[in-house]
Amino acid sequence: MPLANGDTVEVGRVERYQPHSYVPLRGTPAAAAWMEYQRLQARHQANVQRRHEQLLGPAETVSYSSGYGETVYRRPSDERLATWLIEREQLHTAWRRQLAAHLQRRRQEQPREYLGPYLALRELIIDPGQYAFLLEISQQLRRQQPEARVSRELLRRLRAVQQTVPGKQAPNFSLPDTNGRDLRLADFRGRYVLLSFWDPADPYNASQWAGLRGLHQHFASRGLRFVHVSVGEFGSSAYRAALPGHHAAMLAGQRSPVAGAYGLGTFPLPHTVLIGPDGRILARGLQGWVLGQKIAEYIPLD
């Protein structure tokens, strides 16, 4: 966490790593505020884990000869999984509201503190319900400390995220496709489009391919167009085969103007954007069952 000039912090030592543990800090009021954030976060993570196990059952860790392990959960029923996905988002929303209230109190007590902008970048920026608060603390710090790096970064990301809130026109782009031609988002006007951004080399991204293939099976024949964009070089042939639809690549990676327009430095990959026939954004950042339910609101399966 960036500290203001003159702040001092003593860092305690943790003898053994524990899940959801935090390193004790002592010193300035900023350190005390950081500790309060750590306590709130640990409580939230414990609540999420407890509810996850109640709905889906405990997890087993399977170890391999490489030394790495994979966490495997018993396959839940569709109904239980749907309940968990909805409750997880509700828990995350409640946590962000709690954190925003904590930061709001800190801004009133310590208006020149860096904690608010830093944690806003880390936790709050993807939540549309927090935009007014985010704008307030970033503008306040800019007035007080115009050269503060964290404040400039917060404002930059906030502008990018605001460009893609539901209801806004999806930023147009032209990117090379696998045939060397230009793929333009504007060419899909009049159709529903599921735009997805991927890191083809990331194992977590690969774990999400099956879910998108299922959506393709249900909705492609009903008019939904799938546009997959690799962040960096084109993915392998296996990646392209696993994701039916149109493929393009942002060869400049995160430096591409398209990455900035869609806030990809803030949203984790894979990142999805559902776009309506008029080019307006209907939803963003959804995955799995929740994404399917949102698509079905516009393209019924019956």
Side-chain angles (χ1 to χ4, degrees), residues 55-75:
L55 285 172
L56 303 187
E60 299 177 356
T61 300
V62 181
S63 297
Y64 300 94
S65 57
S66 64
Y68 293 95
E70 179 184 0
T71 302
V72 180
Y73 296 95
R74 294 200 303 268
R75 181 173 178 81

Side-chain angles (χ1 to χ4, degrees), residues 45-85:
Q45 291 173 335
N47 287 339
V48 171
Q49 182 65 28
R50 182 173 59 251
R51 190 58 181 147
H52 185 284
E53 292 186 357
Q54 289 173 349
L55 285 172
L56 303 187
E60 299 177 356
T61 300
V62 181
S63 297
Y64 300 94
S65 57
S66 64
Y68 293 95
E70 179 184 0
T71 302
V72 180
Y73 296 95
R74 294 200 303 268
R75 181 173 178 81
S77 67
D78 290 342
E79 182 179 357
R80 288 168 62 201
L81 179 59
T83 301
W84 159 243
L85 292 172

